[in-house]
Amino acid sequence: MPVEFVNMVGSRPPGSSAPGGNTFTTPIDVDWLRHYARTIEAYGFDYTLIPYASSSADQYALAATVLAATQKLKTVVAVRPNSAFPTVAAQGLSTLDQLSGGRALVHIISGGSDQEQARQGDYLDKEQRYRRSSEFIQVLRRVWTEKQPFSHEGEFYRFDGFGPGYATHSGGALPVSLGGSSEFAYASGGAHADIFALWGEPLAQTAEQIDRVYAHARAAGRTDRLRFWVTFRPVVAATDALAREKARAILEAARPFYEKVKDINSTNVGSVRLRELSEQSEEHDGGVLWTPRGVAGSGGASSLLVGSPETIAEAIVRYVELGADIVSLPTLGDLNDAVDAGRLVIPLVREEVARRGIDPEVVFGRRNVA
C-alpha cells in the first residue's frame, strides 16, 4: 500500500483523570484500550503508536494488550535508549513481534527535552543522545539477525557473548523509526533508520527536511529507500468553515494543557521550528495547516490539519507526493475524531493516490539520486 496511517491508542476515555487532574496516575481502562484499538483498526488505520514518557504506562504491556485485541493493527512501540539496554529491548520487541505474527515496529526516542531525560537519570547532551541512538539501533539489528553469539564494545554499550540473537517473526530486523528536527537527528536517521518521523510543517519545509535526511543517507553510503512519517492532528467537519470553528474550540480547551508543558519543550528543535512558523503565520498552505501561537511546539507534534474531508485529504496527498507515505493522525484519545478521520479522510486519500498513480518508490528514487 503506497500510503499508511497511524493513530495513537487511548488508555482511558478523554477527560478521565485522578483527583487533581493527573491523568498519569489514573488507572488504565483496559476495556476502553481494547475498544479503542479495535475501532481504529476497523476504520482503516494501519498502525497505532504506543507512546512512552517518564510518567507513562509501560509500553510493552500496552502493546501486548493492543496486539491481543486486534487482528491486523500494527504497533509502533516507542523506546528511549536511556531506559533500556539494547539487547533487552530487542528481546522484548521481537517477543511482541512473534506473539502477534509480525505486527511490531519500534520508534526510537532520542530525547528532545533535557528536563524530561533528567527525570530518569539521563544527563547526556543532544548530540550524545543521537550518537547513543545510532549505536542502540545497530545493536538491535544484530540481536535480531545474528546466528552466533557476539560481543560489542561501543561508546555507550558493552557486552560479551550475547546470543545467538533473538529472532523476530520474519527472521529479519524489525523496521526502525527515528525522528527529530536537528542536524543530529537527520544524521542519525539518515544513516540508520528505516523510517524518519517529522512533525507537521508546511510543504516547503517538509521537502527541505526530507532532502537533508537523504543527504546524510548518501553521505553514509546508503542507496536504499527511506520512508517518511508526518504527523498532524486532524480537525474534520462537513465544511471548511465548520472545521475552523471546531478547531478553535479544541484549541481553547487544550490551552491549559499546553501552558503546563511548554517549558518542557522550550529547547527542542522541532518545538522551536513550530513556534517560529507560528510567529510568521498561524495558517499555512492555503489555510489547511494550522500552527497556532501558544500551542505550536508546546505539546510536541501540535500542528493541525483543518477542513472538510476533501480539503484534508488533498493536503495529505500533497505530502505523499513529497515522499511522506506514512501519515500519523493522532486525535489525543478522542475516538470520535479518529473515526471521522478513518471514515471520511483515509478512503479519499487512498483513492486519490491510486488515481494519480503516485508511486513512493519513484519519489524516493528521485531523492536518492538527486
Side-chain angles (χ1 to χ4, degrees):
M1 188 171 293
V3 58
E4 297 182 297
F5 290 89
V6 187
N7 194 262
M8 185 171 72
V9 289
S11 58
R12 59 185 69 84
S16 60
S17 62
N22 188 346
T23 58
F24 294 112
T25 60
T26 305
I28 294 169
D29 187 327
V30 180
D31 290 338
W32 174 258
L33 175 64
R34 292 172 178 148
H35 173 63
Y36 195 106
R38 290 171 180 145
T39 302
I40 61 173
E41 177 181 58
Y43 281 94
F45 285 93
D46 304 282
Y47 305 93
T48 181
L49 176 64
I50 308 293
Y52 180 76
S54 62
S55 53
S56 68
D58 178 81
Q59 70 271 49
Y60 297 99
L62 288 178
T65 303
V66 167
L67 290 167
T70 56
Q71 299 297 316
K72 298 182 296 181
L73 191 70
K74 298 177 183 178
T75 53
V76 184
V77 184
V79 174
R80 294 206 312 210
N82 65 293
S83 64
F85 201 76
T87 53
V88 179
Q91 289 172 289
L93 291 161
S94 55
T95 301
L96 287 172
D97 194 58
Q98 287 192 31
L99 290 171
S100 65
R103 292 189 284 140
L105 292 77
V106 58
H107 176 66
I108 303 299
I109 305 175
S110 301
S113 163
D114 292 345
Q115 179 182 345
E116 167 65 8
Q117 295 301 118
R119 288 171 176 166
Q120 292 183 310
D122 183 18
Y123 297 97
L124 300 184
D125 62 31
K126 182 180 289 288
E127 181 178 8
Q128 291 172 318
R129 293 199 295 263
Y130 275 104
R131 291 205 310 271
R132 178 176 61 190
S133 290
S134 296
E135 186 176 341
F136 193 91
I137 293 169
Q138 291 172 300
V139 173
L140 289 181
R141 290 196 175 115
R142 291 196 70 185
V143 172
W144 292 327
T145 58
E146 288 281 358
K147 306 302 181 186
Q148 300 295 329
F150 68 98
S151 301
H152 174 86
E153 184 169 356
E155 181 180 4
F156 301 98
Y157 304 107
R158 175 183 173 183
F159 55 88
D160 294 299
F162 179 86
Y166 198 77
T168 64
H169 175 73
S170 69
L174 299 182
V176 177
S177 168
L178 181 142
S181 300
S182 67
E183 209 63 37
F184 305 129
Y186 301 148
S188 179
H192 302 288
D194 302 297
I195 303 165
F196 195 88
L198 297 168
W199 287 355
E201 295 193 13
L203 290 160
Q205 285 83 349
T206 300
E208 291 172 2
Q209 289 183 296
I210 290 174
D211 287 340
R212 287 166 73 178
V213 174
Y214 263 117
H216 283 287
R218 291 192 296 272
R222 292 183 63 174
T223 58
D224 58 320
R225 170 189 172 189
L226 280 79
R227 302 185 73 189
F228 286 84
W229 170 4
V230 290
T231 298
F232 314 92
R233 180 172 182 178
V235 183
V236 188
T239 66
D240 290 351
L242 289 172
R244 295 170 75 86
E245 290 181 16
K246 181 178 177 181
R248 293 188 189 100
I250 289 172
L251 292 170
E252 189 60 34
R255 202 173 303 279
F257 166 77
Y258 287 115
E259 283 296 320
K260 290 180 182 178
V261 300
K262 65 181 180 180
D263 292 337
I264 296 176
N265 297 288
S266 60
T267 60
N268 180 280
V269 175
S271 297
V272 171
R273 287 173 64 97
L274 289 180
R275 287 197 296 272
E276 291 175 347
L277 283 167
S278 74
E279 291 301 321
Q280 297 167 19
S281 176
E282 291 190 296
E283 298 181 19
H284 310 268
D285 296 339
V288 63
L289 174 65
W290 285 26
T291 56
R293 295 184 190 92
V295 170
S298 296
S302 51
S303 303
L304 282 66
L305 287 182
V306 181
S308 67
E310 294 77 12
T311 295
I312 292 180
E314 173 61 25
I316 291 172
V317 170
R318 294 176 71 186
Y319 283 94
V320 177
E321 288 178 322
L322 290 180
D325 66 338
I326 302 176
V327 182
S328 180
L329 300 174
T331 50
L332 304 187
D334 190 318
L335 190 52
N336 290 330
D337 282 355
V339 168
D340 283 347
R343 180 173 60 94
L344 301 172
V345 176
I346 289 177
L348 292 179
V349 174
R350 289 181 169 149
E351 289 168 10
E352 187 61 16
V353 166
R355 189 188 71 79
R356 296 187 193 183
I358 301 171
D359 185 350
E361 294 284 357
V362 173
V363 172
F364 284 112
R366 282 203 305 268
R367 292 191 179 279
N368 241 353
V369 299

